[in-house]
Amino acid sequence: MQFGIFTVSDVTTDPTTGRTPDDTERVRAILKIAQHADQAGLDVFATGEHHNPPFVASSPTTMLGYLVGTTQNIVLSTATTLITTNDPVKIAEDYAMLQVISDGRMDLMMGRGNTGPVYPWFGKDIRQGINLAIENYALLRRLWEEEVVNWQGKFRTPLQGFTATPRPLDGVPPFVWHGSIRSPEIAEQAAYYGDGFFHNNIFWPMSHTKRMVNYYRQRFEHYGHGAADQAIVGLGGQFFARKNSQDAKREFRPYFDNAPVYGHGPSMEDFTAETPLTVGSPQEIIDRYARMREEVGDYQRQLFLIDHAGLPLKTVLEQIDILAEEIVPALRKENDSKRPAHVPSDPPSHADRVAKARAAGTSAGGHVAGEDKWTGKTAEDDAAAADAVTKGAAFGL
C-alpha cells in the first residue's frame, strides 16, 4: 500500500507569529517538503492545481519536473489536474513529457477543481463542468493511445491528423486517478475506464466516503475490469501528531481555529469527530486510519494533507518524520496482513502496465499497443461512451 502527502499550496498567515510567507518562499518550502518526504521513505508526493490566491501551485508539471531531478524514489503525482479548464492536448503533451523525463515515476489525478471562477478565466462555463470532464478525458485518452488523431467534439476546435508529442513512455500512458468528492459521474467515469478513483474526503464524514467508494467499486465490476474489491481506490486524510495527544491538540488548535478552510466554524473536537482529521498521538492516528479499510474495503493509496493552515516548514518536516517512522510502518503492516491475495496492494506501476500491454501484443515501431477499448475509436464512439457514463451515473448516488 502506498502512503504519501499532498499539498493544496495555500499561502496562509501563521496565527502564532502573524507572519505570512510570500509566494516564492511557499513554493520553495513545498519543494523542500517533497524532497524530505522522499528522503524519509514515503511513497507519493502530490500537488494540487490552482490559479488563484492564496494558492501557488499553478503549474504542476513545472514543479514535478524539477522534483524528478531532485528526488530518488518517490512517485510524483498531481492531487488535481484540471481536466475541465485545461486543454486536453496540452495535458497529453505535458504529462507525457513528465512521464518520459521521470522514467515513469509519476501518475496524475483528474479533477474539476473547487474554484468556480476558474472556468470563465479559461473561457469555460461551469455549468458544463461534468460534460467538459467527460469529453476532455475521452480526447486525452485518444491522444495518448493513437499516433494520429482525427477528432471533433463540443468544447474545442477539431483535430485533423494530429499527433501529440512526445509519445508516452514505452507506448503506455500514465496511470490516471479520477478525484471527486461528491459527483457520481466522476466515479462512473473512473469505473468505465478501469482507472483509479480517489476520494479526497478530508471534509466529509466516512458515511459519504463509503457510499462513493462502494458505488465506484460496483461500477468497476459492472464494466468488466475485475471484482469490486480489486478496484484501485485512494483516500485523502489529515493529521497532526505529537508524542502525546495533549501536546498535539495544544499546538495545532490555533492553526485549526484560524485556517481559512475550516477556521471560525465547528470546534476542532467536532470537526475531528465528523471528518478524517485526527489530532493526537501517533497511535491515535494509526488506530483511526487502520479502521478506514473496514468502511471502504482494502485500498491502495492513502495521502495526507499536513502542510496547510500556516504551519511552519520546520513543523511540517517533523510531521513527515512522524508519519514515515511511526505511523506508516504500523498502518502498512495492519493493512497488508488483512488484504486478500487477489486484491492489489498498490496502484499499477509503469512497469506493471508495460508488462500487461506487452502480454497483449506490441504495435509497430516498438511502442506498446493501448490497453483498453478506446484505442482507435471514432467521434461517434466517443459520444456513445460519454452517454454511457452520464446514464450510468444517473443510477448512482
Side-chain angles (χ1 to χ4, degrees), residues 70 125 130-131 197 260 262 286 326 393:
T70 58
D125 184 345
I130 292 292
N131 293 330
F197 178 65
Y262 40 46
I286 292 165
E326 301 184 55

Side-chain angles (χ1 to χ4, degrees), residues 1 14 28 33 88 107 149 156 162 194 274 290 319 329 335 383 386 393:
M1 184 172 176
D14 184 333
R28 290 174 178 171
I33 288 165
D107 55 36
V149 174
R156 77 172 317 279
F162 182 79
E274 293 296 325
Q319 294 298 299
N335 282 283

Side-chain angles (χ1 to χ4, degrees), residues 223-282:
Y223 287 117
H225 299 296
D229 62 357
Q230 294 176 309
I232 304 301
V233 173
L235 297 182
Q238 296 183 84
F239 77 88
F240 187 86
R242 286 303 185 198
K243 185 176 180 179
N244 62 69
S245 181
Q246 294 81 2
D247 289 345
K249 288 179 170 62
R250 182 169 52 251
E251 184 175 348
F252 188 68
R253 190 177 301 278
Y255 295 96
F256 177 91
D257 287 347
N258 293 281
V261 292
Y262 40 46
H264 313 291
S267 69
M268 189 170 74
E269 285 72 19
D270 287 344
F271 195 85
T272 55
E274 293 296 325
T275 77
L277 174 64
T278 308
V279 182
S281 68

